[in-house]
Amino acid sequence: MHERLSFHIKRDSFIHNLNPLTKLVLTLTLILIAFTFPWYWTPHLLVLVAIIPLSLLGKVFREFSVTALRLILPAAGFLFLMQAFFQPVGSDVIFKFYFLDVTQESLMFAFRNAMRVFVMVSAFTLFLVTTHPSELMSDLTRRGLPGQFSYVIISTLQILPQIIAKSQTIIAAQRSRGLDTESSFFKRAGSLIPLVGPLVFGSLMEVEERAIAIEARGFTSKQTKTSLHEIPDPSFDQMLRWVLVALIILSIALNLWLS
Amino acid sequence: MAFVNLQNVTYKYPLTKAPVLQNVNLQVDEGEFVSIVGPNGAGKSTLCYALAGFVPHFFKGEISGSIEVDGKESSKSTLDEWVLNVGLAFQNPFNQISGAKYTVFEEIAFGLENIGVPREEMKSRVEDAMALTGIRDLADRSPYSLSGGQQQRVALTSILVMRPKLLVLDEPTSQMDPIGTREVFGTIRKMAEEGMTVVLVEHKMEWIAKFADRVIALKDGSVLLEGKPNEVLTSDLLVENGFGISRYTSTAREAKKQGIWKKESLPVTLDEAAEGFTK
Ligand SMILES: Nc1ncnc2c1ncn2[C@@H]1O[C@H](COP(=O)(O)OP(=O)(O)OP(=O)(O)O)[C@@H](O)[C@H]1O
Ligand SMILES: [Mg+2]
């Protein structure tokens, strides 16, 4: 059976114990400041004073660095190259690569954008790694997010790996009946059509049964829902959130004022 | 008045031409354990849906007659109110996992969260229900990592924890081994003794004979026969109508034709067969 789709790493750390909403706000703050604060070196500095310390504080530095080096950095690097070469700004050409001019401005521009993306993806990664999805959803539901909404999010995360497993079963079954899965791309794409029927139709039947099952367990009850886990929201968290919101507003205001 | 009372219920799914249930009359007393048997397509699952309110509230279609549970009429109620009194568990356990929870404990608590049970009460109810069905040791596992039989126990527990007055079970042990089946039947029997009314669809005749109070044989959407388990399950009518019967019943039937089985009544269980053959 496949693992469920979740990035959460269970640890006992200061970050893990923050209220999920606080972490969500913190994530958004980092991203918005990286993108709006009107000082060139903002995203670079954020990596040093926020992203790395937070990963240490959350006791996930090792896992985070692996992800950062393997996935986030290459993606940001690619973005950097694309923008450095194809961004037609500036006149101060540093070097020529065939017909492509690389200017001082385009380099600077690309560097900042790559760092912004790095901050954004890193912040989200840290958020996902330190927050249990069902805690996040219980907390948001308690704050008034419709129960159906959080159900859709969580069940998609859970059921997706099951659907992938099932499609593999169907592929194996069809292959044993002669389905071509190894020749050219277009041939394969065409021969996958028989897979769609069982997968979609099977899923529809399942959706109906699952709807009955959760309905039988009072899912559409008009009662105010309660929650098994208590998710603490101490005054420290509430204060921290206000400070973060203030920082966001400040950053955006400065951005508008200076432009 | 009976606790469960179906009067002339006739029902047709939106897409079926002929009615799937035809003039079904069914009375079940409070605390009674009734089992429904019938060949594939007889309408057993549809009858379960009708008891649990999903027919017609979820499936729509045309319905006539009346369905009453605990003095309340299904057509005058809404589904979310109805499920507070009537619990339903069905065959495929995988599709009964909510998908919203990461552990078995949370999964079982899901229904109680939905109906707003306070946290402390919720925890003790989940503990009690898990003890009842013998799945305490699964509490921290992911529901998706369980075997089919274990998932079926979780599905059953998830309904039991809501303490319905009427428990409707549609083949709840189809993926369980004999030991698991016996335990679950024992649990269901106990619930009935404590006053829960149970309607159970099953193919395992021997277990029905051992545990149920009454059996209803359904064929083509109508009640063919009803009565004491041994009377119904050994009736010639079942064989004539293509029902599956217990292997002990069919063995003794043959033996009776050849004069080896001396007793008047036929057996359903191994014990009864052994007793009859050694006499
Ligand atoms: N959702 C549906 N829409 C249309 N027709 C249905 C639906 N569900 C069941 N039927 C039809 O209703 C009839 C009775 O089905 P039902 O599932 O109640 O039988 P069953 O006695 O439970 O059979 P089994 O032993 O196979 O579980 C069948 O002919 C079936 O094809
Ligand atoms: Mg059925």
Side-chain angles (χ1 to χ4, degrees), chain A residues 208, chain B residues 13 15-16 20 38-46 59 91 171 203:
Chain A
E208 184 180 270
Chain B
Y13 283 104
L15 295 177
T16 48
V20 174
N40 293 134
K44 304 181 297 295
S45 298
T46 309
F59 285 101
Q91 185 180 352
E171 301 186 41
H203 289 297

Side-chain angles (χ1 to χ4, degrees), chain B residues 149 152-153 156 172-188 200 202 204 206-208 211:
Chain B
Q152 277 190 319
R153 281 191 196 227
L156 176 65
T173 66
S174 57
Q175 301 193 19
M176 289 185 198
D177 59 18
I179 295 169
T181 307
R182 177 213 295 276
E183 280 175 18
V184 165
F185 266 85
T187 307
I188 298 168
L200 167 81
E202 252 307 340
K204 297 172 179 169
E206 298 148 60
W207 297 106
I208 298 174
F211 287 96

Side-chain angles (χ1 to χ4, degrees), chain B residues 133-153:
Chain B
T133 53
I135 55 168
R136 262 208 189 119
D137 50 334
L138 302 179
D140 295 323
R141 299 267 300 273
S142 156
Y144 284 106
S145 72
L146 305 177
S147 75
Q150 289 172 326
Q151 285 180 341
Q152 277 190 319
R153 281 191 196 227

